[in-house]
Amino acid sequence: MLAEVAEFLDSITTLVTGDEIKIDIDDREEAGYLIDSAVYRLDESFGPLLTALRRERNSVVSAACLPTNILIKILLYNGAWDVFLATQVCHTWRRAALSHPPLWSRINMKSKNYSSGLARIQLEHSGSHPLDITFSLIDQGGQIVNQNLPAQPLALIEKASSIANLSTRTIPAMWTNDLPLLNSLHLVVDPSTTTSNYILAPSNLRHYSVDFQQQKLSFPRTIFANLKTLHLRMIPEPASKVLAIVFSSNDLRELVLDTCKNREDLAIGQIDSTVRFPSLELLYLKEVAPPFLSCFLRSEVISETTNLRIEPRQPTPFQRPTPASSVWIDLDRNYVLFEHGAGAGVTYVKLSDVYALGPLYNVSSLVIFQHVTTLQWMGAHIKNPPFRWLPSLISLTFECYPSDQHIQQQYLRDVAGSHLVSLCTHLKYLGILIYEPTENTYSNPEDRPEVEFPRFLRRWRDVHGEVFSEVEIYDKYRPGRWAQMLGTFQDLTGRFEIKNHPFMDSARFPRFPDTRRFAVEEEGESRPAAKMKFKPTIWSA
């Protein structure tokens, strides 16, 4: 059949060639009419045939034969502009893209490919599917405004289930709409907006983030009816009032307070009798004034399973109800992280000073240390080893660095010494990582850990009546020195192993749960980056 079609087209082209098509009458208007008529009849006669031929040609191209459900999954990794380009690849791709409204529902006004025309196309093809809208936000002479707005932004807002970077300046004064589809809202208060006229109160909101810019904004009670997540940044209200606002919601699970600097310390006792405190799953206090710590670091707010993050650490008396089971101290990244056992929460404390560890070990600390069984210390020497606070310690892993002539010298014996033998009687494991000296260091003849360490092992055997259970050592500085005494170490331990790679690289580091992200900072950040961009091919029908 295809051969016959080819012969038929060849026979037509022999009747007339392109060079023979000339205007041979004086009436140019009539000539234009005749040419238009010929083009129309050519399209009518051969357009469907051309389309059919191109589709059949595409049927032997693998990319054009992908199942619709696979194509849709591929396109979900891309933004709206790439989906629009995909409609021009071939009939199969176009049909797949146009048949799945969610592909068109993410409107990102921060994208370099965004235009009002593209937004209109997305609005048309998204159908009844709720929109996910990210506005473009700029500071324009002290005014926080949304740029690149479409002609009717409220029409988009009314169809949205998720909105990020919305300025109060975009919402008309006294505009009332309960926005039943809206599930997530990130709002930025424009200082020039009269917030007393702002009465937006979505009825089904689950996730709410407000950047107050130190401006006041009312909270209608209807907002809190179903709220699960609440992020408040630069709120000007005092801590006790924020506490009363926050816990108007009985189902709140995640709370983030960021840059809350009001230092008024109003009486907390006045609201305790009226406020019901739900058990939070996550509480993140970042750059807050001391009264906020006093208000929110409470046993009524923080349960055994709450994940707590404080940044930076401040000396506010409080103890979690669940003792810590593991402690991870990373002085390279300046944080301390506590695990509180299986199914319990995590406590993350950001340190403003790498040596500001003293307050963590006193009686008003955030956690109870006496039940800690695992300590991981990274990023610096262990300064003033805290072993007297860790009587239940079973596993200790730490990094050791050759002494620098410009800092206080420290040796392996300062950690693995007599105090460790006497204070941590349950210790079963030592993991030691020795790294190369930094610049401006010198070779210290007293730095001989392979000689010092057997003394620790012998003392352990003499005091406790048994050899030490297990030791792992990684020495990037001078690994050969340990192999020379391997027999001695094996006699003094149940298991001794010299590692050829940093074993902390494969360790399971605990991780503080991610807080909800309301706004996509960069295009495509909300989904994995596509490995290719879709461009039209010559088989575009």
Side-chain angles (χ1 to χ4, degrees):
M1 181 63 184
L2 291 176
E4 294 175 357
V5 170
E7 290 178 3
F8 171 69
L9 293 175
D10 287 341
S11 66
I12 293 177
T13 57
T14 60
L15 298 178
V16 63
T17 65
D19 294 336
E20 296 175 333
I21 299 177
K22 302 292 183 182
I23 297 177
D24 55 2
I25 59 176
D26 295 333
D27 191 339
R28 302 186 65 84
E29 183 177 347
E30 181 182 356
Y33 169 77
L34 292 174
I35 290 176
D36 289 342
S37 177
V39 170
Y40 173 78
R41 282 182 289 172
L42 191 62
D43 284 340
E44 283 287 302
S45 301
F46 296 102
L49 178 60
L50 181 61
T51 299
L53 285 171
R54 284 178 170 172
R55 289 180 183 176
E56 284 303 309
R57 174 63 180 85
N58 287 340
S59 67
V60 298
V61 178
S62 299
C65 299
L66 291 172
T68 300
N69 62 324
I70 300 298
L71 274 173
I72 289 173
K73 288 182 179 180
I74 293 173
L75 294 176
L76 283 171
Y77 281 82
N78 291 265
W81 177 248
D82 292 320
V83 174
F84 173 72
L85 294 180
T87 64
Q88 303 175 46
V89 171
C90 66
H91 176 73
T92 302
W93 285 46
R94 179 179 179 83
R95 183 176 58 188
L98 296 181
S99 67
H100 195 64
L103 289 172
W104 304 92
S105 64
R106 288 180 286 126
I107 300 178
N108 184 4
M109 299 182 192
K110 295 174 63 177
S111 169
K112 62 182 180 181
N113 294 316
Y114 170 79
S115 66
S116 57
L118 180 61
R120 286 194 299 270
I121 293 173
Q122 290 185 251
L123 194 59
E124 175 186 352
H125 294 304
S126 61
S128 60
H129 193 276
L131 301 177
D132 181 347
I133 304 173
T134 299
F135 286 93
S136 178
L137 198 67
I138 61 170
D139 187 336
Q140 198 173 70
Q143 297 179 340
I144 308 298
V145 300
N146 292 132
Q147 64 175 356
N148 301 330
L149 287 174
Q152 296 180 326
L154 297 182
L156 292 180
I157 291 174
E158 289 171 350
K159 280 195 62 179
S161 64
S162 176
I163 298 176
N165 295 343
L166 178 63
S167 169
T168 53
R169 191 175 182 83
T170 300
I171 304 298
M174 307 305 291
W175 186 69
T176 57
N177 190 317
D178 63 354
L179 301 176
L181 297 178
L182 193 59
N183 177 273
S184 175
L185 174 61
H186 171 227
L187 183 71
V188 181
V189 179
D190 169 42
S192 64
T193 300
T194 305
T195 53
S196 59
N197 295 330
Y198 183 87
I199 55 177
L200 187 64
S203 58
N204 294 315
L205 203 60
R206 299 290 192 277
H207 312 285
Y208 194 25
S209 173
V210 186
D211 188 340
F212 288 84
Q213 298 287 312
Q214 299 297 346
Q215 307 297 312
K216 292 189 176 182
L217 182 70
S218 62
F219 279 90
R221 285 195 171 271
T222 53
I223 288 182
F224 293 94
N226 303 297
L227 211 59
K228 303 292 184 183
T229 306
L230 181 61
H231 294 191
L232 304 179
R233 184 176 186 273
M234 297 181 67
I235 187 170
E237 305 290 357
S240 55
K241 186 171 182 179
V242 173
L243 184 71
I245 292 172
V246 164
F247 293 114
S248 298
S249 170
N250 294 328
D251 296 319
L252 195 65
R253 292 294 175 263
E254 175 180 315
L255 174 63
V256 176
L257 300 179
D258 183 359
T259 319
C260 302
K261 297 298 187 180
N262 193 314
R263 304 183 71 88
E264 293 183 46
D265 193 5
L266 303 181
I268 289 293
Q270 298 177 0
I271 63 174
D272 282 353
S273 59
T274 60
V275 174
R276 175 180 176 272
F277 298 95
S279 297
L280 292 172
E281 294 176 4
L282 188 151
L283 174 61
Y284 184 5
L285 304 177
K286 181 180 180 182
E287 301 290 346
V288 298
F292 284 87
L293 295 171
S294 301
C295 280
F296 287 92
L297 293 184
R298 309 160 58 85
S299 58
E300 303 96 325
V301 178
I302 301 172
S303 70
E304 293 183 356
T305 58
T306 302
N307 293 293
L308 171 63
R309 178 166 181 162
I310 300 177
E311 190 173 326
R313 165 69 171 141
Q314 297 185 31
T316 298
F318 170 76
Q319 275 195 349
R320 293 203 55 158
T322 308
S325 58
S326 300
V327 181
W328 300 70
I329 298 176
D330 189 336
L331 298 183
D332 186 34
R333 298 176 179 86
N334 295 351
Y335 75 85
V336 178
L337 192 144
F338 308 91
E339 285 187 306
H340 298 274
V346 173
T347 301
Y348 179 105
V349 181
K350 186 73 173 179
L351 302 175
S352 57
D353 182 344
V354 296
Y355 291 115
L357 293 170
L360 293 172
Y361 302 123
N362 60 31
V363 293
S364 62
S365 174
L366 283 167
V367 298
I368 302 170
F369 280 85
Q370 63 186 17
H371 298 289
V372 169
T373 58
T374 302
L375 173 62
Q376 313 276 355
W377 190 298
M378 298 158 286
H381 292 301
I382 297 184
K383 184 179 180 181
N384 301 323
F387 299 136
R388 67 190 182 96
W389 302 102
L390 307 168
S392 302
L393 194 64
I394 295 175
S395 173
L396 171 62
T397 303
F398 64 97
E399 295 179 350
C400 186
Y401 299 83
S403 300
D404 192 311
Q405 59 185 340
H406 300 298
I407 63 176
Q408 180 181 359
Q409 294 183 356
Q410 186 176 43
Y411 306 101
L412 181 60
R413 62 176 178 266
D414 295 329
V415 179
S418 58
H419 52 290
L420 184 60
V421 174
S422 59
L423 294 174
C424 300
T425 60
H426 301 285
L427 194 65
K428 301 293 183 185
Y429 172 83
L430 271 177
I432 305 170
L433 299 96
I434 302 176
Y435 287 100
E436 294 176 316
T438 57
E439 294 182 2
N440 301 321
T441 59
Y442 65 98
S443 179
N444 186 347
E446 296 184 22
D447 181 25
R448 300 184 63 193
E450 75 280 5
V451 176
E452 299 171 3
F453 194 56
R455 297 171 186 167
F456 163 78
L457 296 175
R458 291 190 181 98
R459 183 172 180 81
W460 182 278
R461 182 191 59 188
D462 295 342
V463 171
H464 299 291
E466 59 183 8
V467 298
F468 193 82
S469 297
E470 182 178 2
V471 176
E472 290 183 328
I473 288 181
Y474 168 75
D475 190 341
K476 189 175 181 180
Y477 183 25
R478 286 180 291 178
R481 56 185 170 180
W482 299 95
Q484 297 172 4
M485 300 180 62
L486 185 58
T488 301
F489 292 125
Q490 290 176 339
D491 291 340
L492 294 173
T493 60
R495 175 179 173 270
F496 184 89
E497 184 175 353
I498 302 172
K499 310 290 284 189
N500 56 14
H501 64 280
F503 47 86
M504 289 299 289
D505 291 349
S506 59
R508 184 193 67 85
F509 285 81
R511 186 169 178 266
F512 191 84
D514 292 330
T515 56
R516 181 180 177 84
R517 295 184 64 184
F518 284 85
V520 178
E521 296 180 0
E522 297 293 338
E523 183 181 359
E525 220 175 78
S526 62
R527 299 182 187 271
K531 294 184 178 180
M532 62 172 288
K533 295 294 184 180
F534 300 109
K535 297 181 179 179
T537 70
I538 59 173
W539 312 108
S540 59

Short mmCIF file of all heavy atoms in Angstrom, two decimals, residues 345-366:
data_model
loop_
_atom_site.label_atom_id
_atom_site.label_comp_id
_atom_site.label_asym_id
_atom_site.label_seq_id
_atom_site.Cartn_x
_atom_site.Cartn_y
_atom_site.Cartn_z
N GLY A 345 11.24 10.98 69.55
CA GLY A 345 11.63 12.11 68.71
C GLY A 345 13.13 12.32 68.67
O GLY A 345 13.93 11.62 69.28
N VAL A 346 13.51 13.35 67.90
CA VAL A 346 14.90 13.76 67.73
C VAL A 346 15.02 15.21 68.19
O VAL A 346 14.12 16.02 67.97
CB VAL A 346 15.31 13.63 66.25
CG1 VAL A 346 16.69 14.22 66.02
CG2 VAL A 346 15.29 12.17 65.81
N THR A 347 16.13 15.53 68.85
CA THR A 347 16.40 16.91 69.25
C THR A 347 17.64 17.39 68.50
O THR A 347 18.69 16.75 68.55
CB THR A 347 16.65 17.03 70.76
OG1 THR A 347 15.51 16.55 71.46
CG2 THR A 347 16.91 18.47 71.15
N TYR A 348 17.50 18.52 67.79
CA TYR A 348 18.61 19.10 67.01
C TYR A 348 18.90 20.48 67.59
O TYR A 348 18.00 21.31 67.72
CB TYR A 348 18.19 19.21 65.55
CG TYR A 348 19.23 19.82 64.62
CD1 TYR A 348 19.95 19.02 63.74
CD2 TYR A 348 19.47 21.19 64.59
CE1 TYR A 348 20.89 19.57 62.87
CE2 TYR A 348 20.39 21.75 63.75
CZ TYR A 348 21.11 20.94 62.88
OH TYR A 348 22.03 21.48 62.03
N VAL A 349 20.17 20.69 67.96
CA VAL A 349 20.58 21.98 68.54
C VAL A 349 21.71 22.54 67.69
O VAL A 349 22.76 21.91 67.54
CB VAL A 349 21.04 21.83 70.00
CG1 VAL A 349 21.42 23.19 70.56
CG2 VAL A 349 19.95 21.19 70.84
N LYS A 350 21.50 23.71 67.14
CA LYS A 350 22.53 24.40 66.37
C LYS A 350 23.40 25.20 67.33
O LYS A 350 22.89 25.94 68.18
CB LYS A 350 21.89 25.34 65.35
CG LYS A 350 22.87 26.00 64.40
CD LYS A 350 23.41 25.02 63.38
CE LYS A 350 24.26 25.72 62.34
NZ LYS A 350 24.82 24.78 61.35
N LEU A 351 24.71 25.04 67.20
CA LEU A 351 25.65 25.73 68.08
C LEU A 351 26.16 26.99 67.41
O LEU A 351 26.58 26.95 66.26
CB LEU A 351 26.82 24.82 68.42
CG LEU A 351 26.47 23.48 69.10
CD1 LEU A 351 27.72 22.64 69.27
CD2 LEU A 351 25.81 23.72 70.44
N SER A 352 26.14 28.09 68.12
CA SER A 352 26.68 29.33 67.58
C SER A 352 28.19 29.38 67.72
O SER A 352 28.87 30.12 67.03
CB SER A 352 26.04 30.54 68.27
OG SER A 352 26.25 30.47 69.67
N ASP A 353 28.73 28.60 68.63
CA ASP A 353 30.17 28.53 68.87
C ASP A 353 30.54 27.05 68.95
O ASP A 353 29.91 26.28 69.65
CB ASP A 353 30.52 29.23 70.19
CG ASP A 353 32.02 29.24 70.48
OD1 ASP A 353 32.75 28.47 69.84
OD2 ASP A 353 32.44 30.01 71.35
N VAL A 354 31.58 26.65 68.21
CA VAL A 354 31.92 25.23 68.16
C VAL A 354 32.31 24.68 69.53
O VAL A 354 32.28 23.47 69.74
CB VAL A 354 33.07 24.96 67.17
CG1 VAL A 354 32.64 25.29 65.77
CG2 VAL A 354 34.32 25.75 67.54
N TYR A 355 32.68 25.55 70.46
CA TYR A 355 33.05 25.06 71.79
C TYR A 355 31.99 25.42 72.84
O TYR A 355 32.24 25.35 74.02
CB TYR A 355 34.41 25.62 72.20
CG TYR A 355 35.53 25.06 71.37
CD1 TYR A 355 36.28 25.87 70.54
CD2 TYR A 355 35.83 23.70 71.41
CE1 TYR A 355 37.32 25.34 69.77
CE2 TYR A 355 36.86 23.16 70.64
CZ TYR A 355 37.60 23.99 69.83
OH TYR A 355 38.60 23.47 69.07
N ALA A 356 30.80 25.78 72.39
CA ALA A 356 29.73 26.15 73.34
C ALA A 356 28.96 24.91 73.76
O ALA A 356 27.75 24.84 73.64
CB ALA A 356 28.79 27.17 72.71
N LEU A 357 29.70 23.89 74.25
CA LEU A 357 29.06 22.63 74.64
C LEU A 357 28.79 22.54 76.13
O LEU A 357 28.03 21.68 76.56
CB LEU A 357 29.94 21.45 74.22
CG LEU A 357 30.08 21.26 72.71
CD1 LEU A 357 31.15 20.22 72.41
CD2 LEU A 357 28.77 20.82 72.11
N GLY A 358 29.40 23.43 76.91
CA GLY A 358 29.24 23.35 78.35
C GLY A 358 27.80 23.31 78.81
O GLY A 358 27.41 22.44 79.60
N PRO A 359 26.91 24.22 78.33
CA PRO A 359 25.52 24.22 78.79
C PRO A 359 24.77 22.93 78.47
O PRO A 359 23.75 22.64 79.09
CB PRO A 359 24.91 25.41 78.03
CG PRO A 359 26.06 26.28 77.69
CD PRO A 359 27.21 25.35 77.45
N LEU A 360 25.27 22.14 77.53
CA LEU A 360 24.56 20.92 77.17
C LEU A 360 24.72 19.84 78.24
O LEU A 360 23.97 18.86 78.25
CB LEU A 360 25.08 20.38 75.84
CG LEU A 360 24.78 21.24 74.62
CD1 LEU A 360 25.50 20.70 73.41
CD2 LEU A 360 23.29 21.30 74.36
N TYR A 361 25.68 19.99 79.13
CA TYR A 361 25.94 18.94 80.09
C TYR A 361 25.48 19.28 81.51
O TYR A 361 25.69 18.49 82.42
CB TYR A 361 27.44 18.62 80.13
CG TYR A 361 27.99 18.21 78.79
CD1 TYR A 361 29.03 18.89 78.20
CD2 TYR A 361 27.43 17.14 78.10
CE1 TYR A 361 29.53 18.52 76.97
CE2 TYR A 361 27.91 16.76 76.87
CZ TYR A 361 28.96 17.45 76.30
OH TYR A 361 29.42 17.09 75.08
N ASN A 362 24.88 20.46 81.71
CA ASN A 362 24.48 20.79 83.07
C ASN A 362 23.06 20.30 83.35
O ASN A 362 22.38 19.75 82.48
CB ASN A 362 24.61 22.30 83.35
CG ASN A 362 23.74 23.14 82.40
OD1 ASN A 362 22.69 22.68 81.98
ND2 ASN A 362 24.20 24.33 82.09
N VAL A 363 22.58 20.51 84.56
CA VAL A 363 21.30 19.92 84.98
C VAL A 363 20.11 20.53 84.25
O VAL A 363 19.03 19.94 84.22
CB VAL A 363 21.12 20.06 86.51
CG1 VAL A 363 22.14 19.22 87.23
CG2 VAL A 363 21.24 21.53 86.93
N SER A 364 20.27 21.73 83.71
CA SER A 364 19.15 22.37 83.00
C SER A 364 19.26 22.13 81.50
O SER A 364 18.73 22.89 80.70
CB SER A 364 19.13 23.87 83.29
OG SER A 364 20.32 24.48 82.83
N SER A 365 19.97 21.07 81.12
CA SER A 365 20.16 20.79 79.71
C SER A 365 18.86 20.38 79.06
O SER A 365 17.86 20.08 79.71
CB SER A 365 21.21 19.68 79.54
OG SER A 365 21.32 19.31 78.19
N LEU A 366 18.89 20.31 77.71
CA LEU A 366 17.70 19.90 76.96
C LEU A 366 17.37 18.43 77.14
O LEU A 366 16.23 18.03 77.00
CB LEU A 366 17.92 20.18 75.46
CG LEU A 366 17.78 21.63 75.03
CD1 LEU A 366 18.32 21.79 73.64
CD2 LEU A 366 16.33 22.05 75.09
#
